Amino acid sequence: MRRALLPAAALAGALALAGCSGTDSGSGSSKAELSVSGPYMPQPVSADMAAGFLTISNEGGAKDELTSVTSDVAGQVTMHSTVGGAMEEKTSFPIPAHGQLVFKSGCNHLMFEKLKRKPEQGQKVTLRLTFAKSAALTVEMPVKSATYNPSTGH
């Protein structure tokens, strides 16, 4: 009896963790189906660096990976995670099947470095997102006020 409880407990734990990953058990294809929502860049206070945020959703049945980001406004775009207040540059980010990759203030984010021009509020910045398996996506990222908060719209 005790042996049967361990696999059941492990399965229950795995299911509970799956609920925290932002995944959806809905149907989808056997490949990644990627889309982008909520892109924005707070107007940079510096003339040479800016941050960017967005959400990449995967409605498909296969995982993918964001491997690089480029932009017409920056000499280089790097990807970062922030855990416990420490920022770390990443070379890629996984995008789970039926899940999301979220870049938001205080967490994962994009850094636009070596700006060719300082983006101003009301303008749009073009990004190219490159993935391990899926076709690249081009995104128009609006420049918002330096204090913009997507949850309040200000």
Side-chain angles (χ1 to χ4, degrees), residues 56-112:
I56 302 171
S57 297
N58 182 357
E59 300 297 325
K63 66 182 178 179
D64 206 337
E65 195 172 359
L66 177 64
T67 57
S68 70
V69 181
T70 56
S71 175
D72 61 342
V73 75
Q76 176 179 352
V77 181
T78 56
M79 302 180 288
H80 297 265
S81 66
T82 303
V83 179
M87 186 171 75
E88 181 180 332
E89 187 172 337
K90 298 287 190 178
T91 57
S92 65
F93 276 95
I95 308 165
H98 306 293
Q100 294 182 326
L101 169 58
V102 178
F103 289 92
K104 66 181 183 177
S105 183
C107 294
N108 299 335
H109 60 280
L110 303 175
M111 290 300 301
F112 295 77

Side-chain angles (χ1 to χ4, degrees), residues 5 25 30-31 37 44 48 56 60 62 77 92 95 100-101 103-104 108 117 125 131 133-135 154:
L5 289 177
S25 61
S30 60
K31 64 178 186 167
S37 62
D48 60 351
I56 302 171
V77 181
S92 65
I95 308 165
Q100 294 182 326
L101 169 58
F103 289 92
K104 66 181 183 177
N108 299 335
R117 62 176 170 81
V125 171
F131 304 95
K133 299 175 186 171
S134 301
H154 301 122

